[in-house]
Amino acid sequence: MEETKTPAPEASGKDFIREIVEDDLRTGKRGGKVATRFPPEPNGYLHIGHAKSICLNFGVAKEYGGTCNLRFDDTNPLKEDVEYVESIEQDVRWLGFDWHGLFYASDYFERLYGFGEELIRRGRAFVCDLTADEVRATRGTLTEPGKNSPWRDRPVEESLDLFRRMRAGEFADGSRTLRAKIDMASPNINLRDPALFRIRKATHHRTGDAWCIYPMYDYAHAISDWIEGITHSLCTLEFEDHRPLYDWCLEALDLPDRPRQIEFARLNLTYTLLSKRKLLHLVTGGHVRGWDDPRMPTIAGLRRRGYTPEAIRDFCDRIGLAKRDSVVDVALLEHCLREDLNRRAPRFMGVLDPVKVVLTNVPEGTVEELPAVNNPEDPSHGTRLVPFTRELYIERDDFREVPPPKYHRLSPGQEVRLRWAYIVRCEEVVKDPATGEVVELRCTCDPSTRSGDEGSGRKVKGTIHWVSAPKALPAEVRLYDRLFTTEDPDDAPEGKSWVDNLNPASLVVRNAFVEPAAASLRAPAFLQFERLGYFAVDPDSRAGALVFNRSVGLRDSWAKIERKAMGGR
Ligand code: ATP
Ligand code: MG
């Protein structure tokens, strides 16, 4: 796989697919129209790679005044399910797209069958009695041609009769196929008399038991595109070698106004697997909590994690389109989310690993409501009030008994500013005599230093976040790390598999305290806990049992990569 981590911006600002489309429009090819489709197989949930294809197909249609269909490529009844159909519709809509037509390849089974008969009549297809093993054994290799099937030249009438009886259910699974008659010596193995239909006595999630023969992908795809009047059939590079077969199906039937297949590089992301089969394994194997586990690269997982459609669309824009496979740094995806949420997320304070602070010069029972700015990036977010009391919680990590050099947070005898509140000084450290653990910090508060009061003019180097101990609400905070420890999760040593690359610490749960204002948020609200990152309210969250997911931390490794690339530091 070619590795280019930083997506190359297109020189003209336009990718090669849009150039082709514009060219076709200019020259009046394909009726001067643009019709695309997004064709998922409903055998799993959509992932971020599909988002790239969705943004491309729906985006191109929109930009050139065309249409884009959502088509379920449901030709394999064994793996498909309505649960997936529903999730795919939801995810496409959530990403911000709406389809022109909603179709199923299974809508076309009758016509696909009819075209199958037509191919037989034209002498372009035949019923083959070889088993799958026999077909494999006669297919040849990359260097050797295959052998013609002994059934290749059986009379048209005989093939027609057998094809009808295949449909009627007279034969066992795998005993016969309808095969294209192309060229067993073709250097492209896809053209060595590929199967067009196979027998599979399985119940289909839409057509039930109406069919026991099912069309193969390449054939169904080409014909479905043609039926819908698709002009540009955009797919990923692995279909490049299938394009001759796609074209063959349309030519052999002499269909007019044929669509053009164009391939682009699929998205690969560091530390991420984008294979539905493997994602399904993670779900069924209990490695994650479900398809929408916030660690999953599925659209449902990203949504639950706190990703916004805007961030995902921005990411898909930025990665652009290429003709060669590459791996994109997952830091870019995270960067896009940060950029979006920085502008939009209201800020709150929360403490993930609390240690108690007692302000000895603040009287018991004091509750002072201090104004706090909701979003420093956008004054229209307004302000809220944060309760300030004698007892507070701060982050355990914001105190060091023996501060390292340049440590500007709290330590014995030192001062720090409490965000939106006062400067406090640590006077005494109380420890659990048994464990030596710090259990309480006794501090004094300088009442002349209230945040926003210009009066005192005193400045300290550090500012830390905090919550009021009696007023804060307990919350479960779920912190996520990469699901895999290796940049390429498929890269496993001898005797190990990609499953061994799972990160055992990809989920850490903290019992946190959050400021009371955060309690009014309902899923799918997003927010920033100051200094901790961007978070989303999890659908599990209830009044009295708040749950937040950390969507992404604040430190932007992508910005660093960009600065480096531009020669900075
Ligand atoms: P998988 O192989 O994991 O099952 P798939 O490619 O078979 O995925 P489909 O449901 O067939 O999944 O995909 C629907 C469309 O999305 C196809 O046109 C496919 O090319 C595109 N697609 C799938 N994965 C990616 C990806 N990683 N990047 C870009 N497009 C993708
Ligand atoms: Mg596929």
Side-chain angles (χ1 to χ4, degrees):
M1 188 180 292
E2 301 292 327
E3 303 241 346
T4 54
K5 290 274 179 53
T6 339
E10 301 292 328
S12 67
K14 213 152 266 156
D15 57 69
F16 74 101
I17 290 185
R18 285 172 172 87
E19 270 173 5
I20 292 172
V21 169
E22 285 191 12
D23 210 53
D24 286 354
L25 285 175
R26 217 176 4 250
T27 56
K29 241 179 256 162
R30 281 164 253 283
K33 282 190 317 180
V34 176
T36 58
R37 84 288 167 267
F38 172 63
E41 181 177 1
N43 62 349
Y45 279 58
L46 297 182
H47 53 59
I48 183 74
H50 294 112
K52 174 177 179 175
S53 176
I54 291 169
C55 288
L56 173 66
N57 279 293
F58 284 92
V60 162
K62 195 168 170 199
E63 289 157 42
Y64 298 102
T67 55
C68 181
N69 291 341
L70 174 60
R71 183 198 315 140
F72 291 103
D73 170 30
D74 56 346
T75 51
N76 184 357
L78 294 183
K79 291 190 187 162
E80 297 160 4
D81 199 274
V82 278
E83 177 195 348
Y84 301 135
V85 168
E86 283 162 12
S87 76
I88 289 169
E89 288 183 34
Q90 185 194 1
D91 290 349
V92 172
R93 281 220 177 84
W94 180 78
L95 279 171
F97 299 104
D98 202 0
W99 41 87
H100 175 68
L102 175 66
F103 299 111
Y104 295 82
S106 56
D107 293 339
Y108 311 137
F109 280 172
E110 189 64 52
R111 294 178 77 182
L112 287 161
Y113 172 80
F115 281 127
E117 283 202 358
E118 179 62 20
L119 285 171
I120 297 172
R121 277 192 292 270
R122 288 170 176 248
R124 310 298 294 269
F126 65 99
V127 169
C128 180
D129 299 0
L130 298 183
T131 62
D133 283 341
E134 289 165 336
V135 168
R136 214 168 295 125
T138 51
R139 191 181 291 135
T141 64
L142 285 174
T143 48
E144 277 169 54
K147 283 198 212 55
N148 281 352
S149 161
W151 310 103
R152 200 174 198 263
D153 294 316
R154 77 187 340 159
V156 165
E157 281 313 316
E158 193 176 302
S159 274
L160 266 182
D161 174 60
L162 287 169
F163 190 41
R164 287 172 188 152
R165 288 163 62 196
M166 278 167 66
R167 172 183 184 164
E170 283 187 34
F171 310 120
D173 280 15
S175 60
R176 287 191 165 86
T177 50
L178 181 72
R179 290 177 73 182
K181 201 185 281 188
I182 310 180
D183 179 7
M184 288 307 289
S186 172
N188 183 341
I189 293 184
N190 293 302
L191 294 181
R192 294 187 187 169
D193 293 3
L196 303 176
F197 276 89
R198 63 183 157 180
I199 303 171
R200 183 149 284 181
K201 292 183 172 148
T203 304
H204 185 281
H205 68 100
R206 288 190 80 238
T207 57
D209 295 321
W211 292 90
C212 62
I213 56 171
Y214 291 94
M216 302 301 287
Y217 177 83
D218 290 302
Y219 171 74
H221 199 90
I223 306 290
S224 301
D225 278 350
W226 180 82
I227 290 174
E228 291 176 22
I230 300 304
T231 56
H232 299 83
S233 181
L234 312 179
C235 63
T236 35
L237 276 180
E238 69 270 25
F239 293 106
E240 195 171 9
D241 290 346
H242 296 240
R243 190 184 342 127
L245 177 55
Y246 179 98
D247 291 338
W248 180 92
C249 292
L250 301 169
E251 279 161 21
L253 287 161
D254 213 7
L255 298 172
D257 301 323
R258 290 169 210 152
R260 168 171 180 185
Q261 174 177 309
I262 310 169
E263 306 87 16
F264 61 95
R266 62 193 293 127
L267 171 69
N268 299 297
L269 266 185
T270 56
Y271 298 97
T272 310
L273 275 181
L274 296 179
S275 143
K276 278 190 277 188
R277 185 176 59 78
K278 288 176 184 162
L279 296 179
L280 175 64
H281 183 88
L282 290 177
V283 174
T284 53
H287 300 287
V288 293
R289 293 178 175 184
W291 282 101
D292 69 344
D293 187 301
R295 292 166 291 183
M296 290 281 272
T298 52
I299 304 297
L302 292 167
R303 176 167 59 230
R304 188 162 184 176
R305 176 81 168 250
Y307 271 81
T308 60
E310 290 82 356
I312 294 177
R313 291 199 305 259
D314 180 34
F315 171 74
C316 292
D317 267 1
R318 292 195 201 207
I319 55 177
L321 283 183
K323 290 186 212 180
R324 273 198 299 158
D325 272 324
S326 66
V327 185
V328 174
D329 194 323
V330 71
L332 176 60
L333 178 62
E334 295 167 352
H335 173 77
C336 292
L337 181 61
R338 265 186 217 104
E339 291 251 295
D340 185 35
L341 294 185
N342 183 38
R343 286 183 285 112
R344 301 202 293 151
R347 273 58 167 173
F348 293 93
M349 291 196 286
V351 173
L352 296 183
D353 184 13
V355 64
K356 187 175 268 185
V357 167
V358 178
L359 301 172
T360 52
N361 61 336
V362 172
E364 270 179 64
T366 302
V367 182
E368 189 184 359
E369 298 283 350
L370 297 172
V373 173
N374 286 333
N375 186 342
E377 300 290 321
D378 182 355
S380 75
H381 279 76
T383 57
R384 68 187 187 285
L385 295 173
V386 183
F388 177 78
T389 51
R390 175 182 163 91
E391 297 199 351
L392 311 172
Y393 292 122
I394 66 166
E395 215 68 65
R396 186 166 287 279
D397 191 45
D398 282 337
F399 171 79
R400 295 288 166 81
E401 197 166 14
V402 183
K406 293 195 184 161
Y407 187 81
H408 298 309
R409 293 171 268 169
L410 202 58
S411 54
Q414 296 301 308
E415 286 187 322
V416 77
R417 174 172 287 285
L418 298 178
R419 181 76 157 150
W420 309 118
Y422 300 93
I423 294 175
V424 298
R425 176 197 304 277
C426 177
E427 312 285 359
E428 188 187 342
V429 182
V430 182
K431 293 185 188 172
D432 180 328
T435 63
E437 193 192 43
V438 175
V439 290
E440 189 176 300
L441 301 168
R442 298 181 73 79
C443 301
T444 50
C445 167
D446 180 346
S448 75
T449 58
R450 197 169 113 157
S451 189
D453 283 358
E454 297 310 319
S456 83
R458 287 222 295 124
K459 287 212 159 54
V460 288
K461 284 218 169 119
T463 300
I464 63 174
H465 59 273
W466 55 277
V467 294
S468 153
K471 298 285 182 184
L473 301 166
E476 176 181 329
V477 172
R478 300 175 183 165
L479 303 176
Y480 301 102
D481 196 355
R482 303 193 155 135
L483 189 51
F484 292 95
T485 51
T486 44
E487 196 169 287
D488 175 3
D490 277 320
D491 182 15
E494 191 68 25
K496 300 261 182 190
S497 85
W498 60 273
V499 177
D500 297 298
N501 289 331
L502 279 165
N503 176 5
S506 59
L507 169 62
V508 173
V509 176
R510 292 285 182 78
N511 296 314
F513 287 105
V514 302
E515 67 171 276
S520 60
L521 299 170
R522 295 284 172 274
F526 47 75
L527 64 148
Q528 184 193 100
F529 280 125
E530 292 204 54
R531 300 179 63 231
L532 298 176
Y534 293 101
F535 291 76
V537 181
D538 190 84
D540 287 346
S541 193
R542 299 282 172 272
L546 304 174
V547 183
F548 296 94
N549 295 315
R550 178 150 70 187
S551 317
V552 67
L554 293 177
R555 195 169 325 135
D556 194 335
S557 49
W558 180 255
K560 222 159 90 191
I561 292 167
E562 270 189 334
R563 275 200 302 278
K564 240 196 204 151
M566 290 166 68
R569 279 179 303 139

